[in-house]
Amino acid sequence: MDVASAPSDAEVVARVLGGDREAFGLVIRRYEPGLLRYAARMLGSRDAAADAVAEGLVRAYRHLASCRDPARLRTWLYRIVANRCKSHLARRATADVSLDEAPPVADPRDTEAAVERAEQLVLVERALRTLSPEKQEAFVLKHVEGMSYEEMAAATGERIPTLKMRVHRAREALLQALEEYR
Amino acid sequence: MSTIDPRIHQVLDGEIQREALPPELRRQVELLEAAAALLAAAPKAESVEQRVMAALRRPAAPRRSRLVWWLVTPRAIVLRMRPVWTLALAAGLALLTLLPARVSRPDVGEEEGIAQFVARFPGARSVAVVGSFNDWRAGSIALEDRDHDGVWRGVVVLPTGAHEYMFVVDGERWVADPLAGRYVADDFGRENSLLIVRPVLQ
């Protein structure tokens, strides 16, 4: 899509609220990859993440009129999905296969570099799993989703000093874990 | 107590330039950045777009079914009431029981009740009520201030049961009803006012 002509979040929200339901597809395409990535980190399962994101997006559509600041749609969506993730964790089914337990299957067509990269990813994911859920969330929002502390506060409802402390502790623990695995 | 050099945090938080770090600390910064990049580039999950859009295109369940579903679904409800509001609430309820005998009552079904909204917003140009009963769409239930005394009123017929609602002042400011007495935390980090509509005694 031509970025210059892409409608802003506020414009898309106005279109949806004006009755153009299909315009919500733009919202999905714009934020789904990050939301799925975030939910997968929180839930440790891609299937559960897909469920949480799908539920969150449906909920967001139904409550779109209550999004007071459409320009901050992104953090609003993260907040909804974060709540869906918490609900999933509360009623977690033991049948979920975690990302840890399901390492990527080697494909004979993979290059050596791709295999090495997959192994590194498993290592990083394992290190991430050693962190508490709050620290994982803080690290992912900050460094994987690239949010500012202000955006993180809007997405999680936590105070900025609390988030900053969690990110710092997450970096320290992750660095230590990564150094040990090396 | 930090176990790594605080300058690593300063670089990652954009407070100082990475060139200010000695090579060993710079390597640690790069290790964390590489870990984050790996997580960001992890295999993409399957899109949920079709699934979501299909759900949105499905006709909504009848209002009665949604109400039943709302009532039978377990959920955490936070009720907080200041003692001073209990008096106001009791006075309001007493008024509600006395008023119907003197005002003309709209047609009310067996599973409907009358909700009276009263709010004080001096200087407001418009006040509307939005809530779970009108899909949170502003403008569909407008309150009136006939006396121009800043007190806005409206009476509507709603299905019996619990409804979440808020006031929208001047089309943009969302305000919880300070007289509601009951509030429900929603998914979006705020508290909606809670109204319970009871059937009208025939």
Side-chain angles (χ1 to χ4, degrees), chain B residues 126-156:
Chain B
S126 69
V127 178
V129 182
V130 296
S132 47
F133 39 79
N134 63 358
D135 289 334
W136 301 92
R137 304 252 174 193
S140 55
I141 300 178
L143 303 189
E144 292 182 330
D145 177 13
R146 291 182 182 171
D147 308 331
H148 303 289
D149 58 358
V151 179
W152 297 74
R153 293 181 172 84
V155 177
V156 289

Side-chain angles (χ1 to χ4, degrees), chain B:
Chain B
M1 180 81 181
S2 179
T3 57
I4 61 176
D5 193 301
R7 287 175 291 176
I8 291 177
H9 294 308
Q10 289 177 310
V11 168
L12 289 169
D13 287 337
E15 293 166 4
I16 62 171
Q17 298 292 315
R18 73 179 57 213
E19 288 71 27
L21 293 183
E24 174 54 21
L25 295 186
R26 209 179 297 176
R27 191 192 63 77
Q28 290 186 319
V29 167
E30 286 164 358
L31 187 58
L32 282 170
E33 287 177 334
L38 271 172
L39 292 170
K44 287 189 172 62
E46 204 171 311
S47 172
V48 296
E49 181 180 354
Q50 286 190 339
R51 186 170 149 192
V52 172
M53 293 309 291
L56 303 187
R57 290 181 194 118
R58 260 198 310 271
R63 174 166 288 191
R64 185 177 299 179
S65 305
R66 280 185 285 161
L67 187 63
V68 170
W69 175 251
W70 193 94
L71 289 170
V72 299
T73 304
R75 61 188 73 232
I77 296 180
V78 180
L79 296 176
R80 274 186 262 172
M81 188 181 284
R82 290 180 187 157
V84 66
W85 295 129
T86 57
L87 294 172
L89 190 65
L93 288 174
L95 259 178
L96 274 177
T97 55
L98 294 173
L99 274 178
R102 291 194 293 151
V103 297
S104 61
R105 197 167 69 187
D107 289 337
V108 183
E110 278 184 10
E111 296 187 15
E112 291 178 324
I114 298 172
Q116 183 178 34
F117 296 99
V118 180
R120 190 168 181 276
F121 293 110
R125 294 187 304 277
S126 69
V127 178
V129 182
V130 296
S132 47
F133 39 79
N134 63 358
D135 289 334
W136 301 92
R137 304 252 174 193
S140 55
I141 300 178
L143 303 189
E144 292 182 330
D145 177 13
R146 291 182 182 171
D147 308 331
H148 303 289
D149 58 358
V151 179
W152 297 74
R153 293 181 172 84
V155 177
V156 289
V157 175
L158 295 176
T160 52
H163 302 278
E164 295 175 35
Y165 71 100
M166 292 192 90
F167 294 126
V168 180
V169 182
D170 294 337
E172 56 184 23
R173 192 158 58 92
W174 289 53
V175 184
D177 183 352
L179 295 176
R182 304 179 198 204
Y183 302 92
V184 182
D186 71 6
D187 275 353
F188 315 120
R190 59 163 190 257
E191 289 189 332
N192 295 329
S193 312
L194 186 70
L195 163 76
I196 296 179
V197 176
R198 304 193 186 284
V200 175
L201 296 174
Q202 301 293 330

